[in-house]
Amino acid sequence: MLLDGMTGLILGIANQRSLAYAIAQATSAAGAKLIATYQNERLRRNVEPLAATLNNPLVLQCDVASDEQILRLFASIRENTDRLDFVVHAIAYALRDDLEGEYVDTSREGFRVAHDVSAYSLTVLARHAAPLMTGTEEVPRGGSIVTLTYLGGQRVIPHYNVMGVAKAALESSVRYLAYDLGKKNIRVNAIAAGPVRTLAAAGISRFSWMLHHQEAYSPLGRNIEPEEVGAATVFLVSHMARSITGQILHVDCGYHIMGT
């Protein structure tokens, strides 16, 4: 029970295949009390039954593209608890048209949307979460923030396009946030997960090719399972990772070390 007595906020659960749901399962099984979010009323119908399989989490609405909803989310959190020990940011979005064809054809609006939802949201969530993680001089606390990224933020993955550029911005944000929040004993890291069939992945052109290519060329000769991302998250938000911050942890069966 590595997370016994801890409270965590998980954003990004969309359905049972979401990496955020795998993370919620793992952190709940490790003893954490959870707060889960849904983006809108349509997704609420998916999230609430999944939340019922966990350890009685608080379920709240939050569309991270809305400052008003973010403020309302944290107001609701403060009504229910005076502390957060970890935040998991598992949110990414780009317009479907910008995940097909070539990156050079990315629209101005598509670039803005991808960066707002996929990258900036981590920064604004960290700003609001930090006061709930900060202790006092007598009882210093701190916390952990984890986001999800992908190798396409570091290398060219055909058809990942503007999402790869947004992930690069997200990974740079991880490092700057780690520096800013380190003085408060708040750690910020990212998990670069291998490709998994999720709702978000469904919008990526030739996603099946990405799966087959990784399986063929990764050192372990397979694709990852969602629960492996959950296990890595439990480690990163636990006391075991207390000196790790500003890092990108690859959970991809070793594919990122290959030259192909």
Side-chain angles (χ1 to χ4, degrees):
M1 302 292 282
L2 281 176
L3 309 184
D4 190 32
M6 296 175 67
T7 300
L9 169 64
I10 297 183
L11 303 103
I13 300 176
N15 57 34
Q16 72 275 11
R17 293 188 296 171
S18 300
L19 287 178
Y21 179 52
I23 292 168
Q25 289 177 303
T27 51
S28 180
K33 179 181 178 182
L34 298 181
I35 301 162
T37 69
Y38 58 91
Q39 180 188 8
N40 52 41
E41 286 300 315
R42 180 178 64 83
L43 289 177
R44 179 178 185 172
R45 294 193 295 271
N46 294 343
V47 174
E48 287 187 336
L50 297 176
T53 69
L54 306 172
N55 185 23
N56 193 31
L58 178 64
V59 181
L60 300 170
Q61 182 175 5
C62 184
D63 182 341
V64 296
S66 166
D67 286 332
E68 180 182 351
Q69 289 200 28
I70 292 172
L71 287 171
R72 194 156 57 235
L73 168 67
F74 280 94
S76 297
I77 291 173
R78 288 189 182 91
E79 290 175 0
N80 288 273
T81 182
D82 61 353
R83 61 180 288 178
L84 274 181
D85 297 288
F86 63 89
V87 173
V88 176
H89 171 273
I91 297 172
Y93 178 74
L95 301 180
R96 181 177 290 270
D97 288 348
D98 291 317
L99 297 177
E100 299 175 352
E102 297 182 334
Y103 169 70
V104 70
D105 295 320
T106 302
S107 65
R108 183 183 297 274
E109 178 65 5
F111 190 92
R112 183 196 66 78
V113 168
H115 283 73
D116 183 15
V117 176
S118 308
Y120 176 70
S121 60
L122 175 68
T123 300
V124 67
L125 288 167
R127 183 164 68 245
H128 287 286
L132 288 166
M133 294 180 170
T134 305
T136 64
E137 290 185 6
E138 294 77 17
V139 186
R141 285 211 339 258
S144 177
I145 299 173
V146 175
T147 187
L148 297 185
T149 186
Y150 176 59
L151 186 62
Q154 301 169 27
R155 302 182 187 179
V156 174
I157 305 294
H159 302 289
Y160 202 56
N161 293 1
V162 70
M163 186 58 75
V165 180
K167 290 296 189 184
L170 178 70
E171 293 177 15
S172 186
S173 294
V174 165
R175 292 184 284 271
Y176 278 93
L177 288 170
Y179 173 75
D180 283 352
L181 300 178
K183 64 179 77 70
K184 298 179 179 180
N185 197 32
I186 298 172
R187 300 177 293 106
V188 186
N189 294 289
I191 293 175
V196 179
R197 290 191 184 277
T198 63
L199 184 64
I204 301 172
S205 177
R206 295 183 66 197
F207 180 75
S208 292
W209 173 86
M210 293 165 64
L211 283 172
H212 296 316
H213 189 79
Q214 168 148 330
E215 183 177 8
Y217 291 100
S218 68
L220 294 182
R222 63 176 177 86
N223 287 306
I224 69 165
E225 299 293 336
E227 52 265 32
E228 294 170 327
V229 178
T233 305
V234 169
F235 165 69
L236 282 177
V237 304
S238 76
H239 188 64
M240 294 180 69
R242 59 191 177 275
S243 65
I244 299 174
T245 193
Q247 299 301 305
I248 311 298
L249 174 63
H250 290 270
V251 180
D252 63 355
C253 297
Y255 178 76
H256 69 284
I257 71 172
M258 303 302 292
T260 183

